[in-house]
Tab-separated table of all heavy atoms in Angstrom:
chain	number	residue	atom	x	y	z
A	61	MET	N	81.752	212.132	95.500
A	61	MET	CA	82.890	212.358	96.329
A	61	MET	C	83.039	213.839	96.712
A	61	MET	O	82.941	214.567	95.855
A	61	MET	CB	84.178	211.874	95.561
A	61	MET	CG	85.462	212.034	96.291
A	61	MET	SD	86.836	211.237	95.401
A	61	MET	CE	87.571	210.483	96.666
A	62	PRO	N	83.249	214.103	98.034
A	62	PRO	CA	83.228	215.465	98.445
A	62	PRO	C	84.569	216.183	97.913
A	62	PRO	O	85.582	215.576	97.791
A	62	PRO	CB	83.276	215.419	100.001
A	62	PRO	CG	83.510	213.964	100.365
A	62	PRO	CD	83.283	213.095	99.125
A	63	SER	N	84.382	217.450	97.758
A	63	SER	CA	85.556	218.210	97.291
A	63	SER	C	86.345	218.561	98.434
A	63	SER	O	86.130	218.377	99.601
A	63	SER	CB	85.098	219.496	96.669
A	63	SER	OG	84.585	220.334	97.662
A	64	ALA	N	87.680	219.008	98.105
A	64	ALA	CA	88.653	219.428	99.223
A	64	ALA	C	87.947	220.449	100.142
A	64	ALA	O	88.137	220.470	101.357
A	64	ALA	CB	89.953	219.822	98.568
A	65	ALA	N	87.365	221.457	99.504
A	65	ALA	CA	86.722	222.567	100.201
A	65	ALA	C	85.656	221.982	101.178
A	65	ALA	O	85.545	222.522	102.319
A	65	ALA	CB	86.161	223.532	99.236
A	66	ASP	N	84.930	221.006	100.740
A	66	ASP	CA	83.831	220.450	101.602
A	66	ASP	C	84.465	219.726	102.787
A	66	ASP	O	84.017	219.821	103.922
A	66	ASP	CB	82.992	219.457	100.850
A	66	ASP	CG	82.061	220.131	99.906
A	66	ASP	OD1	81.715	221.367	100.061
A	66	ASP	OD2	81.661	219.469	98.865
A	67	ILE	N	85.582	218.952	102.559
A	67	ILE	CA	86.265	218.264	103.571
A	67	ILE	C	86.892	219.249	104.570
A	67	ILE	O	86.620	219.124	105.835
A	67	ILE	CB	87.332	217.390	102.986
A	67	ILE	CG1	86.707	216.205	102.151
A	67	ILE	CG2	88.244	216.795	104.146
A	67	ILE	CD1	87.715	215.412	101.359
A	68	ILE	N	87.442	220.277	104.166
A	68	ILE	CA	88.077	221.269	105.020
A	68	ILE	C	86.976	221.954	105.854
A	68	ILE	O	87.084	222.153	107.101
A	68	ILE	CB	88.877	222.358	104.285
A	68	ILE	CG1	90.079	221.681	103.712
A	68	ILE	CG2	89.230	223.499	105.195
A	68	ILE	CD1	90.874	222.481	102.706
A	69	LYS	N	85.827	222.224	105.257
A	69	LYS	CA	84.711	222.971	105.936
A	69	LYS	C	84.183	221.996	106.999
A	69	LYS	O	83.914	222.455	108.159
A	69	LYS	CB	83.566	223.277	104.923
A	69	LYS	CG	82.393	223.856	105.564
A	69	LYS	CD	81.250	223.976	104.523
A	69	LYS	CE	79.914	224.193	105.234
A	69	LYS	NZ	79.443	223.066	105.897
A	70	ASP	N	84.006	220.752	106.682
A	70	ASP	CA	83.494	219.757	107.718
A	70	ASP	C	84.489	219.689	108.887
A	70	ASP	O	84.018	219.625	110.063
A	70	ASP	CB	83.215	218.418	107.072
A	70	ASP	CG	82.092	218.414	106.055
A	70	ASP	OD1	81.266	219.396	106.191
A	70	ASP	OD2	81.975	217.494	105.404
A	71	TYR	N	85.755	219.577	108.609
A	71	TYR	CA	86.770	219.473	109.676
A	71	TYR	C	86.890	220.719	110.481
A	71	TYR	O	87.029	220.681	111.721
A	71	TYR	CB	88.148	219.105	109.122
A	71	TYR	CG	88.302	217.524	108.945
A	71	TYR	CD1	87.441	216.822	108.110
A	71	TYR	CD2	89.283	216.900	109.664
A	71	TYR	CE1	87.660	215.505	107.956
A	71	TYR	CE2	89.471	215.534	109.561
A	71	TYR	CZ	88.533	214.836	108.689
A	71	TYR	OH	88.785	213.519	108.619
A	72	VAL	N	86.826	221.925	109.853
A	72	VAL	CA	86.853	223.153	110.672
A	72	VAL	C	85.560	223.227	111.564
A	72	VAL	O	85.692	223.650	112.724
A	72	VAL	CB	86.841	224.377	109.681
A	72	VAL	CG1	86.579	225.633	110.426
A	72	VAL	CG2	88.174	224.424	109.034
A	73	THR	N	84.428	222.781	111.059
A	73	THR	CA	83.264	222.797	111.887
A	73	THR	C	83.323	221.856	113.039
A	73	THR	O	83.037	222.182	114.199
A	73	THR	CB	81.993	222.396	110.953
A	73	THR	OG1	81.899	223.310	109.983
A	73	THR	CG2	80.673	222.328	111.799
A	74	GLU	N	83.887	220.629	112.779
A	74	GLU	CA	84.087	219.721	113.933
A	74	GLU	C	85.059	220.205	114.899
A	74	GLU	O	84.884	220.117	116.102
A	74	GLU	CB	84.517	218.365	113.344
A	74	GLU	CG	84.650	217.313	114.405
A	74	GLU	CD	85.009	215.936	113.864
A	74	GLU	OE1	85.100	215.678	112.650
A	74	GLU	OE2	85.378	215.085	114.699
A	75	PHE	N	86.120	220.828	114.368
A	75	PHE	CA	87.170	221.384	115.345
A	75	PHE	C	86.565	222.435	116.191
A	75	PHE	O	86.859	222.439	117.397
A	75	PHE	CB	88.310	221.939	114.400
A	75	PHE	CG	89.505	222.362	115.158
A	75	PHE	CD1	90.361	221.440	115.822
A	75	PHE	CD2	89.865	223.681	115.249
A	75	PHE	CE1	91.497	221.890	116.456
A	75	PHE	CE2	90.937	224.154	115.886
A	75	PHE	CZ	91.870	223.172	116.425
A	76	SER	N	85.845	223.287	115.664
A	76	SER	CA	85.190	224.342	116.376
A	76	SER	C	84.251	223.786	117.395
A	76	SER	O	84.267	224.272	118.626
A	76	SER	CB	84.491	225.317	115.490
A	76	SER	OG	83.880	226.410	116.135
A	77	ARG	N	83.311	222.849	117.042
A	77	ARG	CA	82.354	222.327	117.931
A	77	ARG	C	83.026	221.548	119.095
A	77	ARG	O	82.615	221.623	120.224
A	77	ARG	CB	81.455	221.365	117.250
A	77	ARG	CG	80.390	221.944	116.364
A	77	ARG	CD	79.571	220.865	115.771
A	77	ARG	NE	78.624	221.530	114.843
A	77	ARG	CZ	78.027	220.902	113.808
A	77	ARG	NH1	78.312	219.689	113.585
A	77	ARG	NH2	77.247	221.535	113.014
A	78	LEU	N	84.101	220.815	118.727
A	78	LEU	CA	84.850	220.041	119.785
A	78	LEU	C	85.374	221.006	120.816
A	78	LEU	O	85.251	220.722	122.063
A	78	LEU	CB	85.904	219.237	119.084
A	78	LEU	CG	86.698	218.298	120.044
A	78	LEU	CD1	85.813	217.357	120.801
A	78	LEU	CD2	87.798	217.685	119.266
A	79	GLN	N	85.908	222.099	120.398
A	79	GLN	CA	86.519	223.130	121.314
A	79	GLN	C	85.368	223.719	122.197
A	79	GLN	O	85.585	223.874	123.409
A	79	GLN	CB	87.235	224.243	120.592
A	79	GLN	CG	88.522	223.748	119.999
A	79	GLN	CD	89.135	224.903	119.355
A	79	GLN	OE1	90.070	225.541	119.888
A	79	GLN	NE2	88.881	225.107	118.039
A	80	ASP	N	84.188	223.947	121.581
A	80	ASP	CA	83.066	224.426	122.424
A	80	ASP	C	82.657	223.443	123.549
A	80	ASP	O	82.393	223.868	124.640
A	80	ASP	CB	81.798	224.583	121.510
A	80	ASP	CG	81.952	225.896	120.533
A	80	ASP	OD1	82.806	226.673	120.778
A	80	ASP	OD2	81.207	225.902	119.627
A	81	TRP	N	82.821	222.177	123.260
A	81	TRP	CA	82.443	221.133	124.292
A	81	TRP	C	83.647	221.032	125.309
A	81	TRP	O	83.372	220.728	126.452
A	81	TRP	CB	82.175	219.855	123.628
A	81	TRP	CG	81.026	219.868	122.652
A	81	TRP	CD1	79.885	220.659	122.781
A	81	TRP	CD2	80.782	219.103	121.500
A	81	TRP	NE1	79.016	220.408	121.722
A	81	TRP	CE2	79.616	219.433	120.966
A	81	TRP	CE3	81.605	218.100	120.934
A	81	TRP	CZ2	79.053	218.825	119.797
A	81	TRP	CZ3	81.115	217.549	119.751
A	81	TRP	CH2	79.768	217.916	119.209
A	82	MET	N	84.839	221.090	124.826
A	82	MET	CA	86.054	220.844	125.672
A	82	MET	C	86.238	221.971	126.698
A	82	MET	O	86.620	221.564	127.869
A	82	MET	CB	87.276	220.865	124.842
A	82	MET	CG	87.441	219.550	123.990
A	82	MET	SD	88.858	219.620	122.907
A	82	MET	CE	90.210	219.457	124.040
A	83	ILE	N	86.033	223.176	126.409
A	83	ILE	CA	86.357	224.305	127.328
A	83	ILE	C	85.560	224.152	128.657
A	83	ILE	O	86.250	224.160	129.735
A	83	ILE	CB	86.117	225.657	126.678
A	83	ILE	CG1	87.227	225.750	125.468
A	83	ILE	CG2	86.169	226.815	127.614
A	83	ILE	CD1	86.994	226.938	124.607
A	84	PRO	N	84.276	223.995	128.585
A	84	PRO	CA	83.578	223.881	129.940
A	84	PRO	C	83.721	222.552	130.682
A	84	PRO	O	83.490	222.497	131.811
A	84	PRO	CB	82.087	224.183	129.552
A	84	PRO	CG	82.032	223.727	128.149
A	84	PRO	CD	83.356	224.068	127.500
A	85	ILE	N	84.146	221.514	129.988
A	85	ILE	CA	84.158	220.223	130.598
A	85	ILE	C	85.563	219.859	131.265
A	85	ILE	O	85.666	218.925	132.018
A	85	ILE	CB	83.752	219.033	129.598
A	85	ILE	CG1	83.222	217.879	130.305
A	85	ILE	CG2	84.862	218.784	128.717
A	85	ILE	CD1	82.549	216.922	129.527
A	86	LYS	N	86.471	220.696	131.012
A	86	LYS	CA	87.908	220.447	131.440
A	86	LYS	C	88.002	220.202	132.937
A	86	LYS	O	88.586	219.238	133.406
A	86	LYS	CB	88.736	221.644	131.046
A	86	LYS	CG	90.275	221.305	131.349
A	86	LYS	CD	91.110	222.384	130.941
A	86	LYS	CE	92.607	222.041	131.076
A	86	LYS	NZ	93.541	223.037	130.602
A	87	GLU	N	87.356	221.046	133.690
A	87	GLU	CA	87.351	220.930	135.162
A	87	GLU	C	86.402	219.876	135.613
A	87	GLU	O	86.524	219.321	136.713
A	87	GLU	CB	87.119	222.273	135.758
A	87	GLU	CG	88.205	223.368	135.402
A	87	GLU	CD	89.617	222.980	135.713
A	87	GLU	OE1	89.836	222.329	136.770
A	87	GLU	OE2	90.483	223.323	134.888
A	88	ILE	N	85.255	219.746	135.014
A	88	ILE	CA	84.210	218.847	135.478
A	88	ILE	C	84.481	217.432	135.282
A	88	ILE	O	84.270	216.519	136.092
A	88	ILE	CB	82.904	219.216	134.765
A	88	ILE	CG1	82.509	220.671	134.998
A	88	ILE	CG2	81.774	218.342	135.208
A	88	ILE	CD1	81.418	221.204	134.214
A	89	ALA	N	85.093	217.043	134.124
A	89	ALA	CA	85.179	215.642	133.748
A	89	ALA	C	86.565	215.478	132.996
A	89	ALA	O	86.655	215.370	131.769
A	89	ALA	CB	84.042	215.047	132.899
A	90	PRO	N	87.659	215.441	133.745
A	90	PRO	CA	88.961	215.334	133.153
A	90	PRO	C	89.219	214.037	132.253
A	90	PRO	O	89.829	214.218	131.196
A	90	PRO	CB	89.950	215.270	134.382
A	90	PRO	CG	89.138	215.502	135.575
A	90	PRO	CD	87.743	215.444	135.241
A	91	ASP	N	88.616	212.969	132.534
A	91	ASP	CA	88.729	211.799	131.680
A	91	ASP	C	88.068	212.047	130.341
A	91	ASP	O	88.556	211.679	129.208
A	91	ASP	CB	88.194	210.572	132.318
A	91	ASP	CG	88.980	210.141	133.497
A	91	ASP	OD1	90.119	210.499	133.582
A	91	ASP	OD2	88.439	209.391	134.353
A	92	THR	N	86.883	212.674	130.310
A	92	THR	CA	86.200	212.993	129.078
A	92	THR	C	86.978	214.007	128.364
A	92	THR	O	87.149	213.862	127.097
A	92	THR	CB	84.781	213.500	129.359
A	92	THR	OG1	84.119	212.514	130.141
A	92	THR	CG2	84.072	213.810	128.117
A	93	TYR	N	87.529	214.963	129.053
A	93	TYR	CA	88.402	216.024	128.347
A	93	TYR	C	89.516	215.306	127.629
A	93	TYR	O	89.877	215.657	126.529
A	93	TYR	CB	88.856	217.043	129.383
A	93	TYR	CG	89.698	218.113	128.785
A	93	TYR	CD1	89.174	219.216	128.216
A	93	TYR	CD2	91.088	217.974	128.731
A	93	TYR	CE1	89.903	220.254	127.601
A	93	TYR	CE2	91.891	219.034	128.216
A	93	TYR	CZ	91.309	220.020	127.629
A	93	TYR	OH	92.077	221.010	127.055
A	94	ASP	N	90.213	214.465	128.371
A	94	ASP	CA	91.425	213.836	127.762
A	94	ASP	C	90.992	213.012	126.482
A	94	ASP	O	91.808	213.042	125.458
A	94	ASP	CB	92.034	212.830	128.789
A	94	ASP	CG	92.680	213.545	129.925
A	94	ASP	OD1	92.978	214.750	129.767
A	94	ASP	OD2	92.984	212.804	130.977
A	95	SER	N	89.883	212.303	126.488
A	95	SER	CA	89.358	211.638	125.272
A	95	SER	C	89.083	212.685	124.169
A	95	SER	O	89.501	212.441	122.971
A	95	SER	CB	88.172	210.897	125.551
A	95	SER	OG	87.590	210.268	124.519
A	96	MET	N	88.483	213.726	124.530
A	96	MET	CA	88.198	214.804	123.473
A	96	MET	C	89.494	215.455	122.921
A	96	MET	O	89.564	215.777	121.774
A	96	MET	CB	87.278	215.911	124.096
A	96	MET	CG	85.974	215.360	124.447
A	96	MET	SD	85.073	216.611	125.465
A	96	MET	CE	83.709	216.939	124.370
A	97	TYR	N	90.426	215.561	123.862
A	97	TYR	CA	91.781	216.172	123.474
A	97	TYR	C	92.444	215.298	122.399
A	97	TYR	O	93.102	215.892	121.454
A	97	TYR	CB	92.631	216.338	124.676
A	97	TYR	CG	93.898	217.067	124.390
A	97	TYR	CD1	93.822	218.534	124.282
A	97	TYR	CD2	95.064	216.500	124.219
A	97	TYR	CE1	94.957	219.282	124.035
A	97	TYR	CE2	96.303	217.173	123.980
A	97	TYR	CZ	96.198	218.549	123.851
A	97	TYR	OH	97.370	219.288	123.547
A	98	LYS	N	92.373	214.026	122.497
A	98	LYS	CA	92.940	213.246	121.397
A	98	LYS	C	92.367	213.450	120.107
A	98	LYS	O	93.082	213.573	119.078
A	98	LYS	CB	92.763	211.679	121.844
A	98	LYS	CG	93.597	211.236	122.908
A	98	LYS	CD	93.246	209.834	123.373
A	98	LYS	CE	94.008	209.412	124.591
A	98	LYS	NZ	93.631	208.041	125.059
A	99	ARG	N	91.019	213.649	119.987
A	99	ARG	CA	90.361	213.967	118.711
A	99	ARG	C	90.799	215.359	118.310
A	99	ARG	O	90.992	215.643	117.145
A	99	ARG	CB	88.861	213.869	118.897
A	99	ARG	CG	88.111	214.189	117.568
A	99	ARG	CD	88.420	213.131	116.511
A	99	ARG	NE	87.816	213.533	115.306
A	99	ARG	CZ	88.220	213.308	114.094
A	99	ARG	NH1	89.330	212.798	113.890
A	99	ARG	NH2	87.500	213.595	113.025
A	100	TYR	N	90.875	216.262	119.241
A	100	TYR	CA	91.342	217.723	118.954
A	100	TYR	C	92.678	217.699	118.273
A	100	TYR	O	92.825	218.364	117.283
A	100	TYR	CB	91.327	218.402	120.252
A	100	TYR	CG	92.167	219.670	120.311
A	100	TYR	CD1	91.727	220.897	119.756
A	100	TYR	CD2	93.601	219.629	120.804
A	100	TYR	CE1	92.499	222.010	119.827
A	100	TYR	CE2	94.277	220.639	120.826
A	100	TYR	CZ	93.727	221.988	120.315
A	100	TYR	OH	94.534	223.117	120.411
A	101	VAL	N	93.623	216.805	118.768
A	101	VAL	CA	94.964	216.770	118.225
A	101	VAL	C	94.830	216.224	116.800
A	101	VAL	O	95.465	216.655	115.922
A	101	VAL	CB	95.924	215.935	119.095
A	101	VAL	CG1	97.183	215.686	118.431
A	101	VAL	CG2	96.118	216.710	120.364
A	102	GLU	N	94.131	215.198	116.624
A	102	GLU	CA	93.900	214.555	115.221
A	102	GLU	C	93.382	215.593	114.272
A	102	GLU	O	93.856	215.702	113.153
A	102	GLU	CB	92.934	213.451	115.284
A	102	GLU	CG	93.406	212.150	116.070
A	102	GLU	CD	92.367	211.209	116.381
A	102	GLU	OE1	91.138	211.400	116.019
A	102	GLU	OE2	92.720	210.184	116.818
A	103	LEU	N	92.392	216.386	114.637
A	103	LEU	CA	91.795	217.270	113.805
A	103	LEU	C	92.802	218.454	113.490
A	103	LEU	O	92.907	218.925	112.354
A	103	LEU	CB	90.479	217.970	114.416
A	103	LEU	CG	89.321	217.025	114.417
A	103	LEU	CD1	88.194	217.626	115.254
A	103	LEU	CD2	88.808	216.811	112.976
A	104	LYS	N	93.571	218.884	114.541
A	104	LYS	CA	94.509	219.931	114.355
A	104	LYS	C	95.530	219.544	113.328
A	104	LYS	O	95.904	220.332	112.477
A	104	LYS	CB	95.160	220.281	115.700
A	104	LYS	CG	95.862	221.535	115.694
A	104	LYS	CD	96.288	221.913	117.146
A	104	LYS	CE	97.153	223.270	117.134
A	104	LYS	NZ	97.414	223.673	118.440
A	105	VAL	N	95.994	218.323	113.461
A	105	VAL	CA	97.084	217.791	112.580
A	105	VAL	C	96.536	217.753	111.108
A	105	VAL	O	97.172	218.135	110.154
A	105	VAL	CB	97.565	216.405	112.997
A	105	VAL	CG1	98.487	215.701	111.944
A	105	VAL	CG2	98.393	216.569	114.280
A	106	THR	N	95.326	217.257	111.061
A	106	THR	CA	94.637	217.047	109.627
A	106	THR	C	94.521	218.493	109.071
A	106	THR	O	94.904	218.588	107.822
A	106	THR	CB	93.334	216.310	109.785
A	106	THR	OG1	93.684	215.049	110.321
A	106	THR	CG2	92.725	216.154	108.416
A	107	LEU	N	93.963	219.413	109.815
A	107	LEU	CA	93.724	220.726	109.240
A	107	LEU	C	94.973	221.310	108.857
A	107	LEU	O	95.075	222.007	107.800
A	107	LEU	CB	92.886	221.548	110.239
A	107	LEU	CG	91.474	221.078	110.345
A	107	LEU	CD1	90.760	221.919	111.508
A	107	LEU	CD2	90.632	221.481	109.122
A	108	SER	N	95.995	221.250	109.688
A	108	SER	CA	97.357	221.867	109.343
A	108	SER	C	97.902	221.273	108.082
A	108	SER	O	98.427	221.954	107.334
A	108	SER	CB	98.281	221.649	110.458
A	108	SER	OG	97.902	222.366	111.664
A	109	SER	N	97.792	219.906	107.965
A	109	SER	CA	98.275	219.324	106.781
A	109	SER	C	97.522	219.686	105.439
A	109	SER	O	98.017	219.629	104.406
A	109	SER	CB	98.269	217.804	106.904
A	109	SER	OG	96.975	217.307	106.788
A	110	LEU	N	96.298	220.175	105.658
A	110	LEU	CA	95.521	220.637	104.481
A	110	LEU	C	95.757	222.101	104.301
A	110	LEU	O	95.099	222.767	103.364
A	110	LEU	CB	94.029	220.388	104.888
A	110	LEU	CG	93.529	218.932	104.797
A	110	LEU	CD1	92.114	218.782	105.332
A	110	LEU	CD2	93.589	218.328	103.406
A	111	GLY	N	96.567	222.708	105.083
A	111	GLY	CA	96.963	224.081	104.857
A	111	GLY	C	96.122	225.120	105.526
A	111	GLY	O	96.168	226.340	105.260
A	112	VAL	N	95.309	224.755	106.463
A	112	VAL	CA	94.424	225.619	107.221
A	112	VAL	C	95.175	226.346	108.333
A	112	VAL	O	95.956	225.651	109.147
A	112	VAL	CB	93.169	224.849	107.837
A	112	VAL	CG1	92.302	225.798	108.657
A	112	VAL	CG2	92.390	224.228	106.697
A	113	ASN	N	95.138	227.679	108.337
A	113	ASN	CA	95.828	228.409	109.383
A	113	ASN	C	94.944	228.377	110.713
A	113	ASN	O	93.805	228.918	110.638
A	113	ASN	CB	96.058	229.795	108.926
A	113	ASN	CG	96.696	230.689	109.846
A	113	ASN	OD1	96.920	230.339	111.096
A	113	ASN	ND2	97.188	231.831	109.456
A	114	LEU	N	95.415	227.720	111.637
A	114	LEU	CA	94.610	227.542	112.890
A	114	LEU	C	94.831	228.684	113.979
A	114	LEU	O	94.179	228.567	115.020
A	114	LEU	CB	94.942	226.159	113.538
A	114	LEU	CG	94.638	224.924	112.644
A	114	LEU	CD1	95.155	223.690	113.290
A	114	LEU	CD2	93.107	224.881	112.435
A	115	THR	N	95.607	229.631	113.651
A	115	THR	CA	95.861	230.660	114.565
A	115	THR	C	94.600	231.242	115.240
A	115	THR	O	94.532	231.355	116.463
A	115	THR	CB	96.724	231.855	113.897
A	115	THR	OG1	97.813	231.285	113.284
A	115	THR	CG2	97.060	232.902	114.933
A	116	GLN	N	93.629	231.610	114.440
A	116	GLN	CA	92.472	232.244	115.016
A	116	GLN	C	91.360	231.182	115.482
A	116	GLN	O	90.459	231.456	116.229
A	116	GLN	CB	91.836	233.215	114.122
A	116	GLN	CG	92.717	234.421	113.896
A	116	GLN	CD	92.097	235.451	113.000
A	116	GLN	OE1	90.953	235.325	112.559
A	116	GLN	NE2	92.819	236.550	112.720
A	117	LEU	N	91.466	229.934	114.885
A	117	LEU	CA	90.459	228.979	115.191
A	117	LEU	C	90.697	228.164	116.415
A	117	LEU	O	89.859	227.737	117.150
A	117	LEU	CB	90.439	227.897	114.071
A	117	LEU	CG	89.932	228.364	112.657
A	117	LEU	CD1	90.037	227.248	111.722
A	117	LEU	CD2	88.543	228.795	112.737
A	118	ASP	N	92.011	228.092	116.883
A	118	ASP	CA	92.373	227.238	118.027
A	118	ASP	C	92.181	228.047	119.256
A	118	ASP	O	92.899	228.999	119.565
A	118	ASP	CB	93.857	226.873	117.898
A	118	ASP	CG	94.279	225.838	118.854
A	118	ASP	OD1	93.401	225.276	119.585
A	118	ASP	OD2	95.388	225.402	118.730
A	119	ARG	N	91.305	227.615	120.064
A	119	ARG	CA	90.980	228.280	121.384
A	119	ARG	C	91.552	227.469	122.452
A	119	ARG	O	91.467	227.918	123.707
A	119	ARG	CB	89.463	228.555	121.488
A	119	ARG	CG	88.970	229.486	120.556
A	119	ARG	CD	87.473	229.586	120.472
A	119	ARG	NE	87.016	228.496	119.746
A	119	ARG	CZ	85.821	227.895	119.793
A	119	ARG	NH1	84.938	228.333	120.720
A	119	ARG	NH2	85.528	226.862	119.004
A	120	ILE	N	91.999	226.317	122.295
A	120	ILE	CA	92.657	225.430	123.352
A	120	ILE	C	94.008	225.746	123.313
A	120	ILE	O	94.799	225.399	122.481
A	120	ILE	CB	92.294	223.982	123.070
A	120	ILE	CG1	90.896	223.724	122.874
A	120	ILE	CG2	92.893	223.091	124.204
A	120	ILE	CD1	89.971	223.880	124.079
A	121	LYS	N	94.607	226.401	124.306
A	121	LYS	CA	95.989	226.811	124.330
A	121	LYS	C	96.816	225.978	125.270
A	121	LYS	O	96.928	226.162	126.455
A	121	LYS	CB	96.089	228.292	124.759
A	121	LYS	CG	95.347	229.217	123.918
A	121	LYS	CD	95.777	229.206	122.408
A	121	LYS	CE	95.012	230.169	121.602
A	121	LYS	NZ	95.156	230.104	120.236
A	122	GLU	N	97.190	224.784	124.809
A	122	GLU	CA	97.994	223.889	125.547
A	122	GLU	C	99.229	223.470	124.866
A	122	GLU	O	99.404	223.426	123.756
A	122	GLU	CB	97.160	222.591	125.926
A	122	GLU	CG	96.011	222.949	126.844
A	122	GLU	CD	95.236	221.744	127.278
A	122	GLU	OE1	95.951	220.701	127.541
A	122	GLU	OE2	94.023	221.792	127.345
């Protein structure tokens, strides 16, 4: 069973990667962006509930 630190690390990594994909695709494929945005919100809520400060990690300002 993964530790809390491992779970947080995995979610932070996924959150960062997702933002890397979202930023350039926003204007090119809005439907894809909307789908990715749903996952972004889920990750953001999860990380916040785990006590992760997203101030510097969050590059999507909406």
Side-chain angles (χ1 to χ4, degrees):
M61 180 171 222
S63 69
D66 289 334
I67 293 169
I68 291 171
K69 178 187 163 289
D70 290 345
Y71 272 62
V72 167
T73 300
E74 184 179 352
F75 188 70
S76 180
R77 285 183 186 156
L78 182 60
Q79 290 181 92
D80 287 343
W81 299 328
M82 287 174 71
I83 292 169
I85 206 166
K86 184 175 184 177
E87 302 300 324
I88 299 168
D91 291 339
T92 302
Y93 179 87
D94 290 343
S95 177
M96 294 170 120
Y97 187 78
K98 290 176 186 174
R99 181 62 180 147
Y100 160 84
V101 170
E102 293 169 353
L103 287 167
K104 190 171 181 175
V105 168
T106 302
L107 288 168
S108 293
S109 72
L110 291 169
V112 176
N113 182 346
L114 297 174
T115 304
Q116 293 186 2
L117 295 173
D118 191 1
R119 292 171 281 157
I120 308 293
K121 304 297 180 194
E122 293 186 41

